[in-house]
């Protein structure tokens, strides 16, 4: 972990079977009662300081893989109010947004969105939200699991853009799966089919104003419904949406991390964080060659890009996709499992997101491995190009006993 100032905790402590304490220090989303008390979510994590359901189907009934089946074959509803909405609004909203994201905010039209990253001055990824431009002078950052509002406010202390920066009472839900468009047509009308990918549409559900986008975290066809005035309206929107999902053979599930891993969708905090460069995790395309405006991290990222293009990769570790033997991994990993080089026996990296893939009939996952070993196997540059290669390189993943085919 020589790339890092704060190392990952790689002690393999497993799951101690502890109970989560529910208190007022962590927020309950507007969908909390629906998810936990009505739909029977049986476990939670904390995401953006909000309780987040991460299990709806009990293990004895198929657990997460039964949820995977509903997602890939039918349609599912997700409680993702943890994607807190940070609004930047005012005459300088575009200017501030353009200054804090690596991509060009001036190219985003009103009522459209884009997947973006925000970096610190060293080029480390602070957040990777879906950015929604709901008006010429208003942007919503639908954030991943890291605090962003205070950082944006702090940036503006020195820059003094003419904007308001605050969290707003908007809570999103996701409708994901092959039948998601059918559900949305019934809920908001056939015009929803005209929304382009990352497009937005104002709509009304059960008398409540919502914003609909064609986005999601699954790799499947999907939409997000952003409920406005959520503390008052969330349940009124939730009920008809869930009823329609169930009418189509679907159900509420936890966010489909098993599916997003197969799709190569990254999770902030697991696969990247503030010490990770976009060039380490297949996000080099987020660093444009032709953005005229200045942005935070631009100097560092352009320097890294020049090094890579000249054949000098500036990091020791690189995130790649791996296939793994062993018993099927059908649930979240409680640790970053250690990776070793089979040629030397030395520990050299770690897994971030493993899971069983029923389509490939093998375990797959994302993990950090030595960039030098990758480079020795290919002529491709170690930015996004390497992901186009099918490299036949072996590593040893130290699976826990429950998944290992033989004792480590």
């Amino acid at each position: 972990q020589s790339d890092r100032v704060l190392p990952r905790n790689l002690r393999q402590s497993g799951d101690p079977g502890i109970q989560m304490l529910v208190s007022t220090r962590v927020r309950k989303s507007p969908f909390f009662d629906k998810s936990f008390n009505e739909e029977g979510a049986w476990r939670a994590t904390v995401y953006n300081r909000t309780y987040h359901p991460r299990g709806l189907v009990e293990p004895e009934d198929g657990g997460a893989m039964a949820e995977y089946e509903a997602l890939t074959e039918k349609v599912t509803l997700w409680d993702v109010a943890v994607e807190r909405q940070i609004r930047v609004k005012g005459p300088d909203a575009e200017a501030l947004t353009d200054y804090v994201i690596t991509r060009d905010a001036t190219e985003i039209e009103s009522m459209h969105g884009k997947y973006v990253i925000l970096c610190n001055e060293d080029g480390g990824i602070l957040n990777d939200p879906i950015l929604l431009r709901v008006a010429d002078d208003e942007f919503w950052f639908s954030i991943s699991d890291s605090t962003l509002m205070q950082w944006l406010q702090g940036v503006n202390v020195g820059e003094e853009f003419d904007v308001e920066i605050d969290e707003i009472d908007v809570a999103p839900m996701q409708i994901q799966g092959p039948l998601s468009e059918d559900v949305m047509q019934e809920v908001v009308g056939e015009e929803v089919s005209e929304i382009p990918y990352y497009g937005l549409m104002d709509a009304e559900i059960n008398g409540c104003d919502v914003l609909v986008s064609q986005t999601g975290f699954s790799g499947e066809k999907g939409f997000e419904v952003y409920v406005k005035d959520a503390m008052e309206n969330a349940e009124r929107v939730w009920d008809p949406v869930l009823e329609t999902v169930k009418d189509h053979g679907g159900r509420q599930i936890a966010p489909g991390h098993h599916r997003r891993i197969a799709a190569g969708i990254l999770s902030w905090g697991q696969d990247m964080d503030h010490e990770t460069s976009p060039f380490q995790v297949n996000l080099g395309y987020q660093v444009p060659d032709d953005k005229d405006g200045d942005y935070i991290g631009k100097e560092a990222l352009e320097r890294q890009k020049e090094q890579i293009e000249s054949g000098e990769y500036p990091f020791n570790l690189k995130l790649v996709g791996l296939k793994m033997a062993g018993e099927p991994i059908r649930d979240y990993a409680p640790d970053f499992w250690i990776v070793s080089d089979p040629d030397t026996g030395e520990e050299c990296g770690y897994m971030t997101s493993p899971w069983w893939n029923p389509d490939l009939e093998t375990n797959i996952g994302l993990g950090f491995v030595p960039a030098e070993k990758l480079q020795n196997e290919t002529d491709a540059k170690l930015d996004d190009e390497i992901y186009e290669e099918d490299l036949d390189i072996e590593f040893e993943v130290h699976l826990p006993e429950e998944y290992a085919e033989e004792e480590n």
Side-chain angles (χ1 to χ4, degrees), residues 43 105 144 179 205 280 300 344 402:
R43 65 177 173 183
S144 57
L179 301 181
I205 299 176
Q280 291 181 274
T344 65
E402 63 184 301

Side-chain angles (χ1 to χ4, degrees), residues 120-177:
N120 59 27
E121 63 273 18
D122 296 321
I125 301 169
L126 294 175
N127 206 283
D128 67 323
I130 299 298
L131 178 65
L132 310 177
R133 187 167 195 171
V134 300
D136 287 347
D137 65 346
E138 183 174 351
F139 292 81
W140 296 357
F141 291 78
S142 187
I143 65 174
S144 57
D145 189 20
S146 71
T147 300
L148 190 65
M149 182 181 71
Q150 291 94 324
W151 187 75
L152 291 174
Q153 291 173 338
V155 166
N156 203 37
V157 168
E159 298 299 327
E160 297 183 346
F161 290 100
D162 185 5
V163 293
E164 297 177 2
I165 303 170
D166 46 29
E167 181 177 355
I168 55 177
D169 184 21
V170 172
M173 61 177 73
Q174 291 195 20
I175 298 88
Q176 301 287 305

Side-chain angles (χ1 to χ4, degrees), residues 28-212:
K28 291 181 177 179
S29 88
F31 306 125
F32 184 94
D33 191 62
K34 294 293 180 179
S35 293
F36 291 95
N37 293 328
E38 292 192 11
E39 291 306 307
W42 58 274
R43 65 177 173 183
T45 189
V46 174
Y47 188 109
N48 275 327
R49 299 182 60 81
T50 306
Y51 294 112
H52 194 198
R54 285 296 176 90
L56 274 294
V57 180
E58 295 280 359
E60 59 268 24
D61 296 323
M65 295 315 297
E67 296 184 16
Y68 179 94
E69 183 177 328
L71 170 62
T72 56
E73 297 183 9
K74 297 290 187 179
V75 60
T76 57
L77 175 63
W78 305 4
D79 170 356
V80 289
V82 294
E83 297 172 4
R84 291 158 64 167
Q85 304 301 302
I86 309 304
R87 179 179 62 184
V88 175
K89 179 177 175 58
D92 293 338
E94 181 182 87
L96 171 62
T97 301
D98 194 55
Y99 182 60
V100 296
I101 69 171
T102 59
R103 304 183 84 169
D104 192 339
T106 68
E107 295 182 350
I108 304 174
E109 299 177 0
S110 293
M111 294 300 286
H112 287 78
K114 186 169 285 189
Y115 175 66
V116 301
I117 60 173
L118 300 87
C119 293
N120 59 27
E121 63 273 18
D122 296 321
I125 301 169
L126 294 175
N127 206 283
D128 67 323
I130 299 298
L131 178 65
L132 310 177
R133 187 167 195 171
V134 300
D136 287 347
D137 65 346
E138 183 174 351
F139 292 81
W140 296 357
F141 291 78
S142 187
I143 65 174
S144 57
D145 189 20
S146 71
T147 300
L148 190 65
M149 182 181 71
Q150 291 94 324
W151 187 75
L152 291 174
Q153 291 173 338
V155 166
N156 203 37
V157 168
E159 298 299 327
E160 297 183 346
F161 290 100
D162 185 5
V163 293
E164 297 177 2
I165 303 170
D166 46 29
E167 181 177 355
I168 55 177
D169 184 21
V170 172
M173 61 177 73
Q174 291 195 20
I175 298 88
Q176 301 287 305
L179 301 181
S180 59
E181 187 171 339
D182 295 342
V183 168
M184 293 303 297
Q185 285 181 340
E186 289 193 26
V187 171
V188 298
E190 294 187 0
E191 60 268 28
V192 75
S193 298
E194 300 175 7
I195 304 177
Y197 193 48
Y198 283 116
L200 309 178
M201 182 184 82
D202 285 318
E204 188 177 284
I205 299 176
N206 199 14
C208 304
D209 291 333
V210 300
L211 183 71
V212 178

Side-chain angles (χ1 to χ4, degrees), residues 304-328:
Q304 293 169 15
K305 194 168 192 174
E306 289 176 3
Q307 288 178 284
I308 293 169
E309 290 176 348
S310 65
E312 179 186 353
Y313 191 71
F315 305 102
N316 293 314
L317 296 178
K318 176 83 174 161
L319 190 76
V320 295
L322 297 170
K323 294 180 181 178
M324 295 172 288
E327 295 298 317

Side-chain angles (χ1 to χ4, degrees), residues 64-65 67-68 71 255-262 355-357:
M65 295 315 297
E67 296 184 16
Y68 179 94
L71 170 62
H257 279 266
H258 28 43
R259 182 65 185 88
R260 70 91 183 164
I261 293 169
W355 216 297
W356 170 258
N357 185 273

